[in-house]
Amino acid sequence: MSLVRLTIKGISYSQTQNGAYALLLSEVDGEKQLPIVIGAFEAQSIAIALEKDIRPPRPLTHDLFKSFSERFSIIVKQVIIHKLVDGVFYSSLICERDKIEEIIDARTSDAIALALRFNAPIFTYQNILDKAGIYLKNSETESSTSKEEAEEIKRTELIIEDVLKDASEETETSNPSTKKSLKQLEEELDEAVKNEDYEKAAQLRDEISKRK
């Protein structure tokens, strides 16, 4: 399967889905774009990496990962978005140390945040782009005040809203915690911590944070 190189076009915030962001990746040599739903923390980390002039007072998690890797002579050579299952993108970090390559599984949002910090290229497979990619008209040659461009921006926003809405509905369907009260969630969180079920505790903590 052929690899397609992607570049980051931008990050869009949903006005209707609270806390939801869509990362837009664009073909380097094409017109298709790949919208990927990401969380607020990852969106912030990616945005900071895109804005070279912004430096947080303390290292973010992805900055720490980069410093740690460089200290031990590990570099991220590239990121590959290699799988799409039920609307979830799966990615790999291709790393190298002492001329030995290692492949590390990663969330796509984390992988892209790291790719930016290592200046590593981002790729996906053509079949994934064919399945999940969308066409957004390139209006760079049009007047910034043209009616056509305004309509295109509106269509883009609607497409992104649909992507975020679909992702939100899938999460609510697959996660029964969304239907429970805040008190029930807090009680389940205490129970999960006592049972050392930290994966469940993390999910409950995230849901509680969204409610507050």
Short mmCIF file of all heavy atoms in Angstrom, two decimals, residues 72-113:
data_model
loop_
_atom_site.label_atom_id
_atom_site.label_comp_id
_atom_site.label_asym_id
_atom_site.label_seq_id
_atom_site.Cartn_x
_atom_site.Cartn_y
_atom_site.Cartn_z
N PHE A 72 18.70 10.53 25.50
CA PHE A 72 19.15 9.15 25.28
C PHE A 72 19.32 8.84 23.78
O PHE A 72 19.28 7.68 23.37
CB PHE A 72 18.17 8.17 25.91
CG PHE A 72 18.18 8.22 27.41
CD1 PHE A 72 17.26 9.00 28.10
CD2 PHE A 72 19.13 7.52 28.15
CE1 PHE A 72 17.27 9.09 29.48
CE2 PHE A 72 19.15 7.59 29.54
CZ PHE A 72 18.21 8.38 30.21
N SER A 73 19.49 9.91 23.01
CA SER A 73 19.82 9.79 21.57
C SER A 73 18.76 9.02 20.78
O SER A 73 19.08 8.23 19.89
CB SER A 73 21.19 9.13 21.40
OG SER A 73 22.19 9.86 22.06
N ILE A 74 17.50 9.24 21.13
CA ILE A 74 16.39 8.64 20.40
C ILE A 74 15.71 9.73 19.59
O ILE A 74 15.41 10.80 20.12
CB ILE A 74 15.37 7.99 21.35
CG1 ILE A 74 16.04 6.92 22.22
CG2 ILE A 74 14.20 7.40 20.57
CD1 ILE A 74 15.17 6.43 23.36
N ILE A 75 15.48 9.47 18.32
CA ILE A 75 14.78 10.45 17.49
C ILE A 75 13.52 9.81 16.89
O ILE A 75 13.48 8.60 16.67
CB ILE A 75 15.67 11.00 16.36
CG1 ILE A 75 16.08 9.87 15.39
CG2 ILE A 75 16.88 11.71 16.92
CD1 ILE A 75 16.75 10.37 14.13
N VAL A 76 12.51 10.64 16.67
CA VAL A 76 11.30 10.21 15.96
C VAL A 76 11.50 10.56 14.49
O VAL A 76 11.58 11.74 14.14
CB VAL A 76 10.04 10.88 16.52
CG1 VAL A 76 8.82 10.51 15.67
CG2 VAL A 76 9.81 10.46 17.97
N LYS A 77 11.60 9.55 13.65
CA LYS A 77 11.88 9.76 12.23
C LYS A 77 10.64 10.10 11.43
O LYS A 77 10.66 10.94 10.54
CB LYS A 77 12.55 8.52 11.63
CG LYS A 77 13.94 8.24 12.18
CD LYS A 77 14.53 7.00 11.55
CE LYS A 77 14.73 7.18 10.04
NZ LYS A 77 15.35 5.99 9.43
N GLN A 78 9.53 9.43 11.76
CA GLN A 78 8.28 9.70 11.06
C GLN A 78 7.10 9.12 11.82
O GLN A 78 7.28 8.30 12.72
CB GLN A 78 8.31 9.12 9.64
CG GLN A 78 8.46 7.62 9.57
CD GLN A 78 8.59 7.12 8.14
OE1 GLN A 78 8.99 7.82 7.24
NE2 GLN A 78 8.24 5.87 7.92
N VAL A 79 5.93 9.58 11.45
CA VAL A 79 4.67 9.10 12.03
C VAL A 79 3.83 8.52 10.90
O VAL A 79 3.72 9.13 9.84
CB VAL A 79 3.92 10.24 12.74
CG1 VAL A 79 2.48 9.84 13.02
CG2 VAL A 79 4.63 10.62 14.02
N ILE A 80 3.25 7.35 11.15
CA ILE A 80 2.39 6.73 10.15
C ILE A 80 1.02 6.45 10.77
O ILE A 80 0.93 5.73 11.77
CB ILE A 80 2.99 5.41 9.60
CG1 ILE A 80 4.34 5.70 8.94
CG2 ILE A 80 2.02 4.77 8.61
CD1 ILE A 80 5.03 4.44 8.41
N ILE A 81 -0.02 7.05 10.20
CA ILE A 81 -1.40 6.72 10.59
C ILE A 81 -1.76 5.47 9.79
O ILE A 81 -2.01 5.54 8.59
CB ILE A 81 -2.34 7.89 10.27
CG1 ILE A 81 -1.86 9.16 10.97
CG2 ILE A 81 -3.78 7.55 10.70
CD1 ILE A 81 -2.60 10.42 10.55
N HIS A 82 -1.74 4.32 10.44
CA HIS A 82 -1.76 3.06 9.70
C HIS A 82 -3.07 2.29 9.73
O HIS A 82 -3.24 1.32 8.98
CB HIS A 82 -0.65 2.14 10.23
CG HIS A 82 -0.82 1.77 11.68
ND1 HIS A 82 -1.61 0.73 12.09
CD2 HIS A 82 -0.28 2.30 12.80
CE1 HIS A 82 -1.56 0.62 13.40
NE2 HIS A 82 -0.77 1.57 13.87
N LYS A 83 -4.02 2.74 10.57
CA LYS A 83 -5.27 1.95 10.66
C LYS A 83 -6.42 2.84 11.08
O LYS A 83 -6.25 3.81 11.82
CB LYS A 83 -5.08 0.81 11.67
CG LYS A 83 -6.24 -0.17 11.73
CD LYS A 83 -5.87 -1.43 12.52
CE LYS A 83 -5.61 -1.17 13.97
NZ LYS A 83 -5.41 -2.41 14.76
N LEU A 84 -7.61 2.50 10.59
CA LEU A 84 -8.85 3.20 10.95
C LEU A 84 -9.90 2.15 11.25
O LEU A 84 -10.30 1.38 10.38
CB LEU A 84 -9.31 4.11 9.80
CG LEU A 84 -10.68 4.78 9.95
CD1 LEU A 84 -10.69 5.69 11.17
CD2 LEU A 84 -11.03 5.58 8.71
N VAL A 85 -10.33 2.11 12.53
CA VAL A 85 -11.33 1.13 12.96
C VAL A 85 -12.42 1.84 13.75
O VAL A 85 -12.14 2.50 14.76
CB VAL A 85 -10.68 0.03 13.84
CG1 VAL A 85 -11.75 -0.96 14.30
CG2 VAL A 85 -9.58 -0.69 13.10
N ASP A 86 -13.66 1.73 13.28
CA ASP A 86 -14.81 2.34 13.95
C ASP A 86 -14.59 3.82 14.24
O ASP A 86 -14.91 4.33 15.33
CB ASP A 86 -15.12 1.59 15.26
CG ASP A 86 -15.54 0.15 15.02
OD1 ASP A 86 -16.11 -0.11 13.94
OD2 ASP A 86 -15.28 -0.70 15.88
N GLY A 87 -14.01 4.52 13.28
CA GLY A 87 -13.81 5.96 13.43
C GLY A 87 -12.59 6.35 14.23
O GLY A 87 -12.33 7.54 14.42
N VAL A 88 -11.83 5.37 14.73
CA VAL A 88 -10.64 5.65 15.53
C VAL A 88 -9.38 5.42 14.69
O VAL A 88 -9.22 4.35 14.09
CB VAL A 88 -10.58 4.76 16.79
CG1 VAL A 88 -9.30 5.03 17.59
CG2 VAL A 88 -11.81 4.99 17.66
N PHE A 89 -8.50 6.42 14.65
CA PHE A 89 -7.26 6.32 13.90
C PHE A 89 -6.16 5.75 14.80
O PHE A 89 -6.03 6.16 15.95
CB PHE A 89 -6.83 7.68 13.36
CG PHE A 89 -7.74 8.24 12.30
CD1 PHE A 89 -8.82 9.04 12.64
CD2 PHE A 89 -7.52 7.96 10.96
CE1 PHE A 89 -9.67 9.55 11.67
CE2 PHE A 89 -8.36 8.47 9.98
CZ PHE A 89 -9.43 9.26 10.33
N TYR A 90 -5.38 4.83 14.25
CA TYR A 90 -4.26 4.24 14.97
C TYR A 90 -2.96 4.66 14.29
O TYR A 90 -2.87 4.66 13.06
CB TYR A 90 -4.36 2.71 14.97
CG TYR A 90 -5.52 2.18 15.77
CD1 TYR A 90 -6.82 2.22 15.28
CD2 TYR A 90 -5.33 1.63 17.04
CE1 TYR A 90 -7.90 1.75 16.01
CE2 TYR A 90 -6.39 1.14 17.78
CZ TYR A 90 -7.68 1.20 17.26
OH TYR A 90 -8.73 0.73 17.99
N SER A 91 -1.97 5.02 15.11
CA SER A 91 -0.72 5.53 14.55
C SER A 91 0.49 4.85 15.17
O SER A 91 0.41 4.24 16.25
CB SER A 91 -0.61 7.04 14.77
OG SER A 91 -1.61 7.72 14.06
N SER A 92 1.62 4.99 14.49
CA SER A 92 2.89 4.45 14.97
C SER A 92 3.97 5.51 14.86
O SER A 92 3.99 6.30 13.92
CB SER A 92 3.31 3.23 14.14
OG SER A 92 2.42 2.16 14.32
N LEU A 93 4.85 5.52 15.86
CA LEU A 93 6.05 6.35 15.82
C LEU A 93 7.19 5.48 15.31
O LEU A 93 7.44 4.41 15.85
CB LEU A 93 6.40 6.88 17.21
CG LEU A 93 5.39 7.75 17.93
CD1 LEU A 93 5.84 8.00 19.36
CD2 LEU A 93 5.20 9.07 17.21
N ILE A 94 7.86 5.93 14.27
CA ILE A 94 9.04 5.23 13.78
C ILE A 94 10.25 5.93 14.41
O ILE A 94 10.58 7.07 14.05
CB ILE A 94 9.14 5.26 12.24
CG1 ILE A 94 7.80 4.84 11.63
CG2 ILE A 94 10.27 4.35 11.77
CD1 ILE A 94 7.31 3.47 12.02
N CYS A 95 10.88 5.27 15.35
CA CYS A 95 11.98 5.86 16.11
C CYS A 95 13.31 5.19 15.75
O CYS A 95 13.33 4.07 15.23
CB CYS A 95 11.74 5.72 17.61
SG CYS A 95 10.16 6.40 18.15
N GLU A 96 14.39 5.90 16.06
CA GLU A 96 15.72 5.35 15.77
C GLU A 96 16.70 5.70 16.88
O GLU A 96 16.71 6.84 17.38
CB GLU A 96 16.24 5.88 14.44
CG GLU A 96 17.59 5.28 14.04
CD GLU A 96 18.08 5.80 12.71
OE1 GLU A 96 17.68 5.25 11.68
OE2 GLU A 96 18.86 6.78 12.70
N ARG A 97 17.50 4.72 17.26
CA ARG A 97 18.59 4.93 18.23
C ARG A 97 19.74 4.01 17.84
O ARG A 97 19.55 2.80 17.64
CB ARG A 97 18.13 4.61 19.65
CG ARG A 97 19.21 4.81 20.71
CD ARG A 97 18.63 4.66 22.10
NE ARG A 97 19.61 4.93 23.12
CZ ARG A 97 20.35 4.00 23.72
NH1 ARG A 97 20.20 2.72 23.39
NH2 ARG A 97 21.22 4.33 24.65
N ASP A 98 20.91 4.59 17.70
CA ASP A 98 22.10 3.82 17.28
C ASP A 98 21.84 3.06 15.99
O ASP A 98 22.21 1.88 15.86
CB ASP A 98 22.53 2.86 18.40
CG ASP A 98 22.98 3.58 19.65
OD1 ASP A 98 23.43 4.73 19.53
OD2 ASP A 98 22.86 3.00 20.74
N LYS A 99 21.15 3.73 15.06
CA LYS A 99 20.86 3.17 13.73
C LYS A 99 19.93 1.95 13.78
O LYS A 99 19.83 1.21 12.81
CB LYS A 99 22.15 2.80 13.00
CG LYS A 99 23.04 4.02 12.72
CD LYS A 99 24.28 3.62 11.93
CE LYS A 99 25.14 4.85 11.66
NZ LYS A 99 26.35 4.52 10.88
N ILE A 100 19.26 1.78 14.90
CA ILE A 100 18.28 0.68 15.04
C ILE A 100 16.88 1.30 15.12
O ILE A 100 16.62 2.16 15.97
CB ILE A 100 18.55 -0.17 16.29
CG1 ILE A 100 19.92 -0.83 16.20
CG2 ILE A 100 17.46 -1.23 16.47
CD1 ILE A 100 20.32 -1.59 17.46
N GLU A 101 15.98 0.87 14.25
CA GLU A 101 14.62 1.40 14.22
C GLU A 101 13.69 0.60 15.13
O GLU A 101 13.80 -0.62 15.22
CB GLU A 101 14.06 1.38 12.80
CG GLU A 101 14.56 2.52 11.93
CD GLU A 101 13.78 2.67 10.65
OE1 GLU A 101 12.88 1.83 10.39
OE2 GLU A 101 14.05 3.61 9.91
N GLU A 102 12.80 1.32 15.77
CA GLU A 102 11.77 0.70 16.60
C GLU A 102 10.43 1.33 16.23
O GLU A 102 10.37 2.52 15.92
CB GLU A 102 12.04 0.92 18.08
CG GLU A 102 13.31 0.28 18.61
CD GLU A 102 13.22 -1.23 18.73
OE1 GLU A 102 12.09 -1.76 18.60
OE2 GLU A 102 14.26 -1.87 18.96
N ILE A 103 9.37 0.54 16.28
CA ILE A 103 8.02 1.03 16.00
C ILE A 103 7.24 1.04 17.31
O ILE A 103 7.14 0.01 17.99
CB ILE A 103 7.32 0.16 14.95
CG1 ILE A 103 8.11 0.14 13.64
CG2 ILE A 103 5.90 0.66 14.71
CD1 ILE A 103 7.54 -0.78 12.59
N ILE A 104 6.69 2.19 17.65
CA ILE A 104 5.97 2.36 18.91
C ILE A 104 4.53 2.78 18.63
O ILE A 104 4.29 3.74 17.88
CB ILE A 104 6.65 3.41 19.80
CG1 ILE A 104 8.09 2.98 20.11
CG2 ILE A 104 5.86 3.61 21.10
CD1 ILE A 104 8.87 4.01 20.91
N ASP A 105 3.59 2.06 19.20
CA ASP A 105 2.17 2.39 19.04
C ASP A 105 1.86 3.69 19.79
O ASP A 105 2.38 3.93 20.89
CB ASP A 105 1.33 1.24 19.60
CG ASP A 105 -0.16 1.50 19.42
OD1 ASP A 105 -0.55 1.96 18.34
OD2 ASP A 105 -0.91 1.25 20.38
N ALA A 106 1.01 4.54 19.21
CA ALA A 106 0.69 5.82 19.84
C ALA A 106 -0.68 6.29 19.39
O ALA A 106 -1.15 5.95 18.30
CB ALA A 106 1.73 6.87 19.49
N ARG A 107 -1.33 7.07 20.25
CA ARG A 107 -2.55 7.75 19.81
C ARG A 107 -2.16 8.74 18.72
O ARG A 107 -1.09 9.35 18.78
CB ARG A 107 -3.22 8.48 20.97
CG ARG A 107 -3.75 7.56 22.06
CD ARG A 107 -4.59 8.35 23.05
NE ARG A 107 -3.88 9.53 23.56
CZ ARG A 107 -4.46 10.49 24.27
NH1 ARG A 107 -5.75 10.44 24.54
NH2 ARG A 107 -3.74 11.51 24.72
N THR A 108 -3.03 8.92 17.77
CA THR A 108 -2.71 9.80 16.64
C THR A 108 -2.43 11.23 17.09
O THR A 108 -1.50 11.88 16.59
CB THR A 108 -3.84 9.76 15.61
OG1 THR A 108 -3.95 8.43 15.09
CG2 THR A 108 -3.56 10.71 14.45
N SER A 109 -3.21 11.73 18.03
CA SER A 109 -2.99 13.10 18.50
C SER A 109 -1.63 13.25 19.16
O SER A 109 -0.92 14.24 18.94
CB SER A 109 -4.10 13.51 19.48
OG SER A 109 -4.22 12.56 20.52
N ASP A 110 -1.22 12.27 19.97
CA ASP A 110 0.10 12.30 20.60
C ASP A 110 1.20 12.19 19.55
O ASP A 110 2.22 12.88 19.62
CB ASP A 110 0.24 11.16 21.60
CG ASP A 110 -0.61 11.36 22.85
OD1 ASP A 110 -0.81 12.53 23.24
OD2 ASP A 110 -1.06 10.36 23.42
N ALA A 111 0.99 11.29 18.58
CA ALA A 111 1.99 11.08 17.54
C ALA A 111 2.24 12.37 16.75
O ALA A 111 3.38 12.72 16.45
CB ALA A 111 1.55 9.95 16.61
N ILE A 112 1.17 13.08 16.44
CA ILE A 112 1.32 14.32 15.66
C ILE A 112 1.96 15.42 16.50
O ILE A 112 2.80 16.18 16.01
CB ILE A 112 -0.05 14.75 15.11
CG1 ILE A 112 -0.51 13.75 14.05
CG2 ILE A 112 0.01 16.16 14.54
CD1 ILE A 112 -1.90 13.95 13.55
N ALA A 113 1.60 15.48 17.78
CA ALA A 113 2.24 16.47 18.67
C ALA A 113 3.75 16.23 18.74
O ALA A 113 4.54 17.18 18.78
CB ALA A 113 1.62 16.40 20.07
#
